[in-house]
Amino acid sequence: MKRPVTRVAAIHDLSGFGRSSLAVVIPILSTMGVQACPLPTAVLSTHTGDFEDYSFVDLTDSMEDFIGHWRRLKIEFDCIYSGFLGSSRQIKIISKFIDDFSFSSPLVVIDPVMGDGGQLYGTMDMLMVEEMRKLIKKADIITPNFTEAALLLGENYDLEINEEIIRTWLVGLSEMGPKTVIITSVPEPKASKNTSVIAYNREDGHFWKVSCVYIPAQYPGTGDAFTSVIVGSLLQGDSLPIALDRGVQFITAAIRASYGSNYPVREGVLLERVLANLNLPVLSSTYEIME
Ligand code: PXL
């Protein structure tokens, strides 16, 4: 019997305060009518950006037992979606998870969360980058930000990038495994007030771009929110450019709601104020095809 809602294995940490990872992924997928089944990688009191003395419980040892139970239950997933991971061992566990649950042919989406603004996050190191290069081989779709794309490719983080170079990055990342590569926070040196999301689909050879106005605040969890909207949208049957549009429009609305009310950046975007936008039809579309 066909299930009435699609089902995602959501492999991320749970940070109690600061709106990132599962605290963002679950409400977005639920609002989009998708069942999120969390496989928590760690539980933290807050996310690790801009909070000191956070408390952290690593769940690496329990993950294999949780997965074992899911395997005995023979759960069928329509999508496997991973984000922030706590250790290189977790990457190996997820790689095996993807193999073990391949029987229902899930869409494998890997958000290689490792850093931002040209820097690795404090809990990451180059071994994680190495392991992430192996994990993305198994992905259908990856959604690195500009920093993570540079790390995966071993390229310099250079804000003076142009479209020709970013195309080579997209193709290079796709040659590492994933059919679809979506790079977020791509700087636009010619229009410094803008940033863009640029995507490549190896199967049809198309490059897509959605520009957005840059807002000078780095809210945590926006990458998690963006990829969650992409996952929800694709599972609802949208095409890649429409999914990109929906992701960018949602994040823009969330950042504007927060920035406009001077909300503390480290607490993340005012998700609760904009979640309902996900149920609106796409009223205006701004994607461009890059020829
Ligand atoms: O949003 C990415 C993320 C997820 N989880 C934790 C984080 C971060 C980014 O800082 O610290 C724990």
Side-chain angles (χ1 to χ4, degrees):
M1 193 186 75
K2 195 174 176 304
R3 273 176 281 110
V5 292
T6 50
R7 182 185 290 149
V8 177
I11 313 172
H12 308 251
D13 69 279
L14 176 61
S15 292
F17 189 69
R19 295 191 189 84
S20 72
S21 44
L22 284 176
V24 168
V25 173
I26 298 172
I28 290 178
L29 291 178
S30 302
T31 305
M32 297 181 86
V34 174
Q35 180 190 5
C37 304
L39 176 62
T41 56
V43 180
L44 297 90
S45 51
T46 65
H47 59 71
T48 62
D50 207 18
F51 284 105
E52 279 151 31
D53 301 331
Y54 56 85
S55 181
F56 178 95
V57 178
D58 182 357
L59 293 177
T60 309
D61 290 334
S62 308
M63 281 173 74
E64 282 177 311
D65 290 342
F66 292 3
I67 294 168
H69 188 204
W70 283 7
R71 218 184 298 118
R72 292 192 297 283
L73 290 170
K74 298 192 176 58
I75 302 176
E76 294 183 357
F77 292 107
D78 300 293
C79 174
I80 296 172
Y81 164 30
S82 75
F84 183 93
L85 303 175
S87 62
S88 52
R89 212 180 114 213
Q90 283 189 355
I91 300 188
K92 292 198 176 89
I93 293 173
I94 290 158
S95 180
K96 184 162 181 309
F97 180 94
I98 294 169
D99 294 340
D100 288 355
F101 286 85
S102 61
F103 58 89
S104 55
S105 307
L107 179 75
V108 177
V109 180
I110 292 175
D111 184 7
V113 178
M114 293 185 294
D116 206 358
Q119 304 282 331
L120 276 174
Y121 292 133
T123 55
M124 302 285 162
D125 56 23
M126 286 314 284
L127 179 62
M128 291 287 280
V129 178
E130 269 305 311
E131 290 298 325
M132 198 57 91
R133 287 186 185 132
K134 294 183 201 154
L135 185 64
I136 64 168
K137 284 191 194 354
K138 298 197 172 168
D140 296 302
I141 302 177
I142 59 169
T143 58
N145 61 28
F146 184 62
T147 301
E148 292 152 353
L151 284 166
L152 288 169
L153 288 164
E155 294 282 355
N156 285 335
Y157 176 82
D158 179 3
L159 297 176
E160 291 303 311
I161 193 104
N162 60 39
E163 275 187 19
E164 208 178 309
I165 297 175
I166 207 77
R167 275 172 195 258
T168 65
W169 284 28
L170 287 157
V171 173
L173 287 167
S174 159
E175 282 169 353
M176 291 166 82
K179 286 187 282 294
T180 301
V181 178
I182 303 172
I183 306 184
T184 60
S185 307
V186 179
E188 291 202 32
K190 283 206 214 113
S192 58
K193 282 218 163 74
N194 281 6
T195 163
S196 54
V197 171
I198 305 192
Y200 171 64
N201 178 343
R202 192 178 62 222
E203 284 184 333
D204 60 16
H206 285 149
F207 292 87
W208 303 97
K209 171 173 164 178
V210 182
S211 288
C212 37
V213 173
Y214 176 73
I215 295 183
Q218 298 272 343
Y219 289 91
T222 49
D224 305 323
F226 175 80
T227 306
S228 302
V229 177
I230 297 290
V231 166
S233 179
L234 292 175
L235 290 178
Q236 284 180 349
D238 290 332
S239 65
L240 177 62
I242 295 294
L244 297 174
D245 248 338
R246 291 183 73 185
V248 168
Q249 287 178 15
F250 181 74
I251 299 305
T252 304
I255 293 178
R256 293 183 88 89
S258 317
Y259 195 72
S261 57
N262 216 2
Y263 200 68
V265 171
R266 68 181 190 169
E267 293 184 26
V269 288
L270 282 169
L271 191 69
E272 302 77 9
R273 286 287 174 95
V274 291
L275 262 185
N277 291 10
L278 292 169
N279 289 320
L280 299 174
V282 182
L283 294 175
S284 71
S285 196
T286 57
Y287 68 76
E288 299 163 49
I289 186 154
M290 291 163 64
E291 294 300 353

